[in-house]
Amino acid sequence: MADASAITAVLGPTNTGKTHRAIERMLAHDSGMIGLPLRLLAREVYDRVTTRVGEARVALVTGEEKRVPRRPDYWVCTVEAMPIDLEVDFLAIDEIQLAGHDQRGHVFTERLLLSRGRRETWFLGADTMRPLMSELVPTAKLVQHPRLSRLASAGAGKLSRLPPRSAVVAFSTPQVYEIAERLRAQRGGAAVVLGALSPRTRNAQVAMFQSGEVDYLVATDAIGMGLNLDVRHVAFAALRKFDGRDVRDLDPAELAQIAGRAGRHLADGTFGTVAPLALPDGVAAAIEAHRFPPLRRLLWRSSELDRSSIDALLASLREPPRARSLKLVRDAEDTAALARLAEDPEIRARARGEAAVGLLWEVCRIPDFRKLLFESHVALLAEIYGQLSGPKAALDTDWMAARVAEIDDVGGDIDTLITRIASIRTWTYISNHARWVRDAAAWQDRTRAIEDRLSDALHERLVQRFVERGGGAARGGRSSGASRARAVASGGPRRAEAEEPVTLPEGHPFARIAALRALLAPGPAAPAPEDDLARWVESIVGAPHERFSVDAAGRIHGGDQLLGQLARGPALLLPDVRLAALEDVGPGARSRVLRRLVAFARDLVEELLGPLRSPEVRALPGAARGIVYQLEQGLGTAAAREAGEQIAELAPEDRALLKAHGIEVGERVIYVQQLLRRGALERRLALCAAWFDRGRVPACPAPGAVSVPAARGVDPRAYAAIGYPVFGTRAIRADVAERVHRALVSGEPAARLSSWMGCPAREAPRVAASLLG
């Protein structure tokens, strides 16, 4: 990355809009990348960015998921998975204070010291980074924004008296379970968020809380890192945690990171403890004032690794830092795995030479998602390296299939399912190394499908255990909410493949969903009503662009299902979407489907205007770029008289370049020939139907029509936007209008050109006069 980049450090408390500001700044550049601390947060930001610019321009890269379109402009990644050799105009790293984390800190420190955007770099994080930021990146401009809402201490309170919209935080899984069960007994139930949950399960649990199906959330510190939740109060049920090595007290800054989840945007929030626990003296005041001791040292590891031999690699990994403010990372998981594998004589014999040692290091960096016995993880790595360094240089398909098949089982309790999800994440990570497995894409689909099934089963178990299904209202719970949560977020019981569809009686918790599904998919392929609605939602959210279609009226379909309608947005090129017939779907599911359809709408515009947005066209000089801009705003058509200044400044070579890219600069009309084709015409009509007032949109011209009558009341700009600018009484296709204009200028009588214009002879003089005017 270039060193001339302007560097900004945006430091401050939670809920100051740091990530939002970084996203906006990234989108102001032609290209950008943002590194985030969590896979869950990366997906959340990806959803936000694709809603703005479409999925065709955005890549999502985490250890276990790579969604990379053909030509992305923006990259949303976990910090560890960032493709650091890729040059982009803007680069941001979120939660940069994690450079002080014992296990992951060295990665954040490396990004802090070495990663830069070509034009601009932002580091986002806590104010505790301020002194070290000034020392290590002295050219950085330090910026701070005030918290958008007030965060106040509410002291200690009984669990039974917690206010609605509360999150209770504990730091061990057994304690989370115990608190969630107490809330079920006392208040009707709670959603549960653990760091070990998959994104799919976490989303389903959070959707219950966000939509008001349950009023309480029980979580570990997994909620503390940037995930946006409608939490009004955070109650700590513990103040100590096991950090991987020891049980220790959380420091005030860590508590503040979690407490700051209370109150989002302009809504105030409170924090406290579950009685009889109390915060230490001075901690509550420090959290309210956002004042904490600064970080003194950051974790570090050399980025210049010597792969000539195992011993040389280990030595470079243990090289001490030169700055006193940096501390060598100890007990890093990948280094520990390498050291253990280096004791194996067979592996030492295989790992000779830079390529073989580099492969061994790649294998050692496979994360231990299971967090069981370290020896078990090392044994798996040894087996993987043995196969990859063997004559086939790939994993044995049968061996891998057997290991994956062991995990594909939705039976068992909550802890069993969590363990299986952790195990399948390992194989998803491995399958994302295309050189390691044959038919990597198929393996990625398979492991993701298994994780989805396990996630759905886990969500169902969590709802069964921690949400009251009857009588909850008597204790302040939501008896109907639990049933609806199960129906909306998780769906009904799975049916055997041989079973016939079941007709559900009125009043059954899935009956409304059944009616909805029948409405959305009336054809013979409609899913059975008791199928899992969450699966349907995920199929929409994860569907590629090609699975959707839009007609000339702006209706969006997914196969035979009507999903939504393009609606007027802030600009012609930025339509909004209205969902169709989804009133009975929970707010969480609705928002996810809406997000996907808005992203499709952005991709629709990007696809339509692709001829104007190629790298070659973007590189055109100033006057030509001005013409391209006008063409974009007119969906591929512009009036020549309105671009007179730019046309006058065009050099002959600029005209030639425009023509080479299919852009015709005529005397009356500038147009893109490719966008006059039938498919493009229908997409242009769909966008016009969303933007222009009802009744002011033209009807779709018949195939092959060179002109149509200019209907009274239809906005002439709408005709131009579909490639048929109005001249006199006719809306004439742009290329035909230019052809007729040239003939008229050369002296051809108007009466002879009526067939060219596609109009009766009596209209020809008026149309010709307008063309010559």
Side-chain angles (χ1 to χ4, degrees):
M1 296 289 179
D3 289 327
S5 174
I7 304 173
T8 302
V10 186
L11 307 176
T14 56
N15 195 27
T16 58
K18 295 187 290 290
T19 306
H20 171 75
R21 295 173 198 273
I23 292 170
E24 293 298 313
R25 191 62 185 159
M26 178 176 74
L27 294 179
H29 288 273
D30 290 336
S31 63
M33 182 187 304
I34 184 166
L36 299 143
L38 297 174
R39 175 192 183 197
L40 296 171
L41 186 54
R43 184 56 196 247
E44 185 175 297
V45 170
Y46 172 80
D47 287 349
R48 289 173 60 185
V49 175
T50 55
T51 301
R52 295 281 300 278
V53 302
E55 294 190 352
R57 298 182 64 194
V58 189
L60 173 66
V61 181
T62 70
E64 302 133 81
E65 187 173 14
K66 290 181 174 63
R67 303 181 66 162
V68 183
R70 188 168 59 90
R71 197 166 56 202
D73 295 318
Y74 305 106
W75 297 73
V76 179
C77 317
T78 49
V79 171
E80 285 85 350
M82 295 173 71
I84 56 176
D85 294 333
L86 182 70
E87 289 197 354
V88 291
D89 290 337
F90 176 89
L91 183 139
I93 306 293
D94 201 9
E95 305 293 359
I96 193 62
Q97 77 277 1
L98 287 177
H101 190 276
D102 284 345
Q103 281 288 326
R104 305 175 64 198
H106 63 282
V107 180
F108 285 78
T109 302
E110 180 178 320
R111 304 288 184 266
L112 176 70
L113 297 177
L114 301 177
S115 295
R116 299 290 184 268
R118 276 190 297 248
R119 299 187 178 187
E120 194 169 5
T121 303
W122 279 27
F123 297 111
L124 322 171
D127 203 51
T128 53
M129 276 291 294
R130 184 174 294 269
L132 288 178
M133 182 67 69
S134 297
E135 176 186 340
L136 296 171
V137 191
T139 58
K141 175 185 176 183
L142 301 181
V143 176
Q144 185 170 21
H145 299 285
R147 184 178 163 92
L148 297 174
S149 63
R150 181 170 172 266
L151 185 63
S153 172
K158 292 183 178 181
L159 193 67
S160 60
R161 296 182 179 177
L162 281 180
R165 316 310 297 158
S166 289
V168 184
V169 179
F171 298 100
S172 71
T173 299
Q175 189 179 19
V176 167
Y177 293 168
E178 186 265 333
I179 292 169
E181 287 176 332
R182 286 171 60 190
L183 283 172
R184 170 180 173 163
Q186 296 171 0
R187 311 302 291 272
V192 170
V193 174
L194 305 167
L197 298 186
S198 66
R200 186 174 174 118
T201 306
R202 195 275 304 187
N203 287 342
Q205 288 288 302
V206 168
M208 287 198 306
F209 178 78
Q210 293 290 82
S211 63
E213 305 294 347
V214 292
D215 262 337
Y216 300 94
L217 179 74
V218 187
T220 62
D221 50 350
I223 68 166
M225 204 62 70
L227 299 178
N228 291 311
L229 301 168
D230 181 22
V231 174
R232 298 173 193 167
H233 178 73
V234 169
F236 291 96
L239 300 174
R240 293 170 62 80
K241 68 176 286 186
F242 178 69
D243 64 5
R245 288 200 299 265
D246 303 302
V247 176
R248 63 172 179 82
D249 293 331
L250 275 81
D251 64 46
E254 290 176 306
L255 293 172
Q257 184 76 27
I258 300 165
R261 295 303 104 197
R264 302 305 301 160
H265 194 52
L266 301 178
D268 293 340
T270 58
F271 66 94
T273 57
V274 176
L277 188 69
L279 290 170
D281 290 344
V283 171
I287 294 174
E288 288 180 330
H290 317 298
R291 287 198 299 266
F292 310 104
L295 283 171
R296 298 184 181 279
R297 300 177 81 182
L298 304 182
L299 276 296
W300 179 89
R301 185 166 74 185
S302 175
S303 60
E304 298 177 0
L305 301 182
D306 184 348
R307 295 177 174 84
S308 59
S309 70
I310 291 179
D311 292 331
L313 178 57
L314 283 167
S316 59
L317 288 166
R318 293 166 177 163
E319 179 184 334
R322 297 174 184 175
R324 296 183 61 185
S325 54
L326 301 177
K327 178 175 67 173
L328 180 65
V329 62
R330 302 288 183 184
D331 303 322
E333 189 179 271
D334 48 10
T335 305
L338 176 64
R340 188 65 57 86
L341 291 174
E343 298 171 2
D344 187 325
E346 183 178 345
I347 288 178
R348 275 195 170 271
R350 288 174 177 267
R352 296 183 182 277
E354 188 166 329
V357 173
L359 175 62
L360 178 60
W361 179 233
E362 277 192 86
V363 171
C364 289
R365 300 188 73 182
I366 297 173
D368 182 12
F369 294 113
R370 297 174 297 171
K371 302 296 181 186
L372 298 174
L373 292 174
F374 183 63
E375 294 297 336
S376 173
H377 180 63
V378 170
L380 175 63
L381 300 185
E383 178 69 27
I384 290 171
Y385 182 70
Q387 294 188 33
L388 294 178
S389 59
K392 294 183 179 179
L395 295 179
D396 180 81
T397 301
D398 293 338
W399 173 81
M400 187 169 172
R403 299 297 293 266
V404 168
E406 293 173 357
I407 306 167
D408 191 6
D409 179 1
V410 297
D413 60 13
I414 290 172
D415 291 332
T416 299
L417 291 169
I418 287 176
T419 300
R420 289 187 188 132
I421 287 173
S423 297
I424 201 62
R425 288 178 68 188
T426 300
W427 295 105
T428 301
Y429 181 94
I430 290 168
S431 68
N432 272 286
H433 286 69
R435 293 178 289 110
W436 293 2
V437 295
R438 296 181 180 87
D439 199 359
W443 277 108
Q444 291 162 20
D445 290 342
R446 181 175 178 181
T447 57
R448 279 198 298 267
I450 292 172
E451 181 176 320
D452 288 348
R453 288 193 290 273
L454 293 170
S455 300
D456 294 340
L458 176 58
H459 173 68
E460 177 68 16
R461 302 295 194 284
L462 290 169
V463 172
Q464 287 174 348
R465 183 168 173 181
F466 300 124
V467 179
E468 181 64 51
R469 283 199 178 88
R475 290 184 291 271
R478 297 173 180 232
S479 57
S480 63
S483 297
R484 188 168 178 271
R486 188 183 182 205
V488 171
S490 180
R494 294 175 179 82
R495 58 186 174 93
E497 291 185 4
E499 287 185 24
E500 292 298 319
V502 177
T503 300
L504 300 178
E506 186 175 355
H508 189 282
F510 304 137
R512 295 167 70 191
I513 300 303
L516 168 67
R517 299 297 292 278
L519 178 64
L520 288 177
E530 71 277 14
D531 280 353
D532 188 347
L533 183 62
R535 288 179 181 273
W536 177 80
V537 171
E538 291 297 331
S539 73
I540 297 298
V541 171
H545 179 77
E546 296 75 22
R547 286 270 301 277
F548 303 104
S549 62
V550 64
D551 62 21
R555 293 182 292 259
I556 303 172
H557 292 80
D560 293 333
Q561 300 177 350
L562 174 62
L563 300 176
Q565 171 81 46
L566 294 181
R568 186 181 178 92
L572 174 62
L573 302 184
L574 295 172
D576 282 338
V577 173
R578 289 196 308 270
L579 294 181
L582 292 177
E583 291 80 3
D584 284 345
V585 174
R590 283 178 58 84
S591 66
R592 298 192 69 212
V593 173
L594 179 62
R595 196 285 312 166
R596 180 64 189 92
L597 296 186
V598 172
F600 166 73
R602 300 294 176 265
D603 285 337
L604 183 75
V605 174
E606 188 69 23
E607 181 182 61
L608 175 67
L609 299 182
L612 297 172
R613 293 182 172 179
S614 68
E616 297 81 9
V617 173
R618 287 180 180 179
L620 288 170
R625 282 293 301 142
I627 288 173
V628 170
Y629 174 79
Q630 291 203 37
L631 285 170
E632 285 188 347
Q633 298 307 302
L635 301 183
T637 309
R641 67 177 58 183
E642 293 179 5
E645 292 184 12
Q646 290 92 341
I647 293 174
E649 294 176 12
L650 282 179
E653 56 269 26
D654 296 339
R655 282 182 175 270
L657 282 171
L658 287 169
K659 189 172 184 63
H661 290 97
I663 300 170
E664 300 287 344
V665 181
E667 294 297 321
R668 298 306 312 275
V669 187
I670 308 170
Y671 61 94
V672 183
Q673 186 69 50
Q674 187 175 336
L675 298 187
L676 297 177
R677 296 172 182 171
R678 187 70 187 178
L681 169 63
E682 292 179 353
R683 288 193 287 272
R684 294 169 81 170
L685 267 167
L687 294 171
C688 287
W691 176 249
F692 293 97
D693 294 336
R694 183 174 297 180
R696 295 177 64 80
V697 181
C700 185
V706 297
S707 75
V708 294
R712 183 177 299 175
V714 173
D715 195 321
R717 295 173 300 171
Y719 277 119
I722 68 170
Y724 282 71
V726 174
F727 295 98
T729 60
R730 308 292 294 184
I732 305 178
R733 202 174 68 201
D735 57 342
V736 174
E738 275 301 309
R739 180 186 173 201
V740 172
H741 178 267
R742 287 195 298 271
L744 290 169
V745 169
S746 67
E748 192 74 24
R752 293 184 182 178
L753 299 176
S754 61
S755 61
W756 288 18
M757 301 178 196
C759 69
R762 66 178 180 275
E763 291 185 40
R766 185 172 176 184
V767 174
S770 180
L771 276 166
L772 291 170

